[in-house]
Amino acid sequence: MSEIPETTGDVVWQSSPPGSIYDYIRVASFSIGPDGLVDQWSRRAADLFGITAAQVRGKDPVEVLLPPELRPRGHRHMKEILDGKEWTGLVPFRAPGAEGPGGVAEVYVMPSETESGERAALCIVVDVRALRRIETDIAASQAIFGQSPFGFLLFGTDLTVQRANQRFATVFGGSVEEHRGRTVHDYLSRSEADRMTASLRRVLETGEAAIDLQLVGAAPNSTDRRHWSINLYRVHSGSGRPIGVAGVGTDVTRRHVAAREAASARRNLALLNEASARIGNSLDLETTARELLDLAVPGFCDLASVDLYQGLLTGDEAPPGRWDSPRSDRYGGGSAELRRVAFSSAVSDAPLITTPGCGSKGDTPTAVGEVHRYSFNSPCASALRTARVQSIPGEDGSLVRSTLAVPMVAHDAVVGLVQFSRTKGSEPFGERDRALAVELAARAAVCIDNARLYRREHERALILQRSLLPPGDPEAAGLDIACRYLPGNTATEVGGDWFDVIELPGHRTALVVGDVMGRGLRAAVAMGELRTAVRTLALLDLEPAEVLSALDEIARGLGSPSGTQQASRVAHKAREADLSEVYLATCVYAVYDSVTRRCTFANAGHLPPVLVEPGEEALLLDVPPGMPLGVGGEPFEEVEVELPEGALLALYTDGLVESRDHPLDEGLRAFRNALTDPSRPAPGHHSPTAALRADLSRSLEDVCDHVLGTLDTRHGEDDIALLMARIQGLPVEAVGDWQLPREPRSVGRARELARALLVSWDLEALVDTVELLVSELVTNALRYGEGEIRLRLLRDRTLVCEVWDSGLVQPRRRRARDTDEGGRGLQLVGLLSAAWGSRRTPRGKTVWFELALPDGDSATEPTVEQLLSMF
């Protein structure tokens, strides 16, 4: 900066360079005396020509400065000058001894007089090259400043406008001259003007340029917000003294709009990408709705809600989106019932907002979980009815600025409505936002519809599965039975677990537990087919291994158009083509005889049964697992185990002991520990009687609850089936067993034995019927059977009579002709008994009948018509 000038009167003195035009151009002076020789030589002349005063004083300037070819002409001009004539012209010169091209000087010669009155001359010399540079600089400055498409301002050191170009005047109005003396406060708001002023001061003081200073304002007579990018730099004089700050402004509003649109597009793409990952992770309708709102708020809007049709949530199969005319009162002149399933807000303590014109109860907002309707003429109802987005502006004084009511459409059906709202201070929704809202709602609608379809299939499969399970508490002779079935939660598909308790002739019971591999309706249907087949095969009274072999053939034939006849070919093609089409299942089939307390097991790839003897630890029975049903090609083995009185037998599926969180061995160990009676004394310090009494004191239902409550089943991952049976064999006094010789008198002997036993059992009411039916069965054994005859009477919940012989021919009912004297025995057995049948045994066959006890549901006496029907 220059030093402070000293003022004396009207004259200003300063020691620094003047800072005028002379700082830029090279001006020199010298004088010529009356003799035509140089009289005085200034320092600037020495700098300009490169000749010192000593070298030129007293010499002819023509001879010193001009080249030889121009000297004659120079002498003529010098003579005219000394005669008193002014002269101006361009004079080429070359410094003495200098190499290279010389210079061109513009010389202005003014006649003068000495003190003695003689004529002399004063010469002013200007370097023409410096003048040309100044002309070029001025022309370039005018071109840049005046013709630039950017706004140009030159601020003085007092930060007022010294000069503005035409572009700036065009934007802010008025002529160029009218902007002189103004400040930035005349163009910008107070906050922006203060920022601009601070930047100007900083640039003026430090000399550091300000690049891309962003300012926001509006042009005169306009409300449009404009964005400007300002570059500021300090301007210096030729001597380096700061004389102001230059500012170049560019309107970047379009760039900001494009950047905002690009950012919006990137945000929308990111939202859509995130929607693909976050929406639809759950097959639950309400959870999917909340996932949509968690994504949209606050990334897309400030408030949002989701309404779904009530019929869709309750499983109604009627098509959603059904509407009536305004005159119809079916829906009260409005929409079908909807339920508000989700609401989200990014505004702290924001209440539920009612969209203008869409309130179902006036201005009262709808709470989450509430069932409501929209009035027919409301924008929300229109969106549901037309399946088109409705833009709803906010009301004056309301928190909401604008709302998009977007129908949720899946497979050309409207399933609900989602409302996106933005509050005051947020930008209103644009076309891009509308498109994004539709896409978000559509993706959520598809997921919700998939969840609805899954829920419907899951419920149907669950109904089917439960309908195939034994109803109530199963009962069996010689067994106390308790069972549990826990389906997977709604997030998992229905499995193929099943169990069954089948009563067999002779107070025997078949216990079955199985698991079809796979999930969903397909597994439930396969389970139903296998369970039906098991019950059918059990009624044939086959051995357990034979039952599983037959089930294996059936499983291989499932899904085959021609059934089991092409099971091998279907299984072979399935293994080669698509293993998912093969029906595989595991199964344990056990037959318990309450008379002998012996149980025969056969296993098809299932987990082993668990046996808990009184006072002992739970053990896994060593039953060969075999191959799963549907694999084929391998026979099944049988294992017969004698079960002590009071023992506990447990059959189960893998959902009880298997989890992804722990290995199977650990689950089996925990199951055995849970089954072991905690009241059992330590080994070697208890009596068998006390242990048996402790085991029997535990309710079997309590044992089931204890097992399920103790094990870490991670329930929901898989279905759980648990079948438990406590052994309670028939007492000796409830069994009558005799061997009869193969002779006619054995018929009478059989009647006597049966009568005596029934009387001891206080069953005199059944004596006549039993004598008659025993006579028929023993007579048939003598007539058609082989070997010795065995008669057995069993009393439990019913009375069972069995006649054994060594013959293999099964009895068959037939209708006797009117003239036949015999052939009506089995008809009589079927008429008088509650049930009858025959089964093969390892050494022949057994024919049996069953009667209800008198204190139970006694069979009614046969009518005359029934008796006559035998003839």
Side-chain angles (χ1 to χ4, degrees), residues 461-476:
L462 194 59
I463 292 173
L464 174 62
Q465 188 179 43
R466 288 177 173 174
S467 67
L468 296 174
L469 295 175
D473 297 325
E475 295 182 353

Side-chain angles (χ1 to χ4, degrees), residues 829-843:
V829 172
L831 183 64
L832 297 179
S833 65
W836 79 278
S838 67
R839 68 179 185 273
R840 288 189 176 89
T841 63
R843 299 179 181 179

Side-chain angles (χ1 to χ4, degrees), residues 464 468 496 498 516 522-534:
L464 174 62
L468 296 174
W498 92 90
V516 176
R522 174 178 175 271
V525 171
M527 178 270 286
E529 293 180 343
L530 291 178
R531 179 181 179 273
T532 303
V534 169

Side-chain angles (χ1 to χ4, degrees), residues 29 34 36 58 113 205 238 349 371 375 381 407 424 440 448-449 489 491 504 508 620 648 663 819 826 868:
S29 64
E113 291 183 357
E205 292 173 359
D349 300 329
V371 178
S375 59
K424 301 295 185 181
L440 290 176
I448 287 175
D449 194 54
N489 58 34
L504 301 177
R508 295 174 304 131
L620 296 176
L648 189 63
T819 58
L826 292 181
L868 292 177

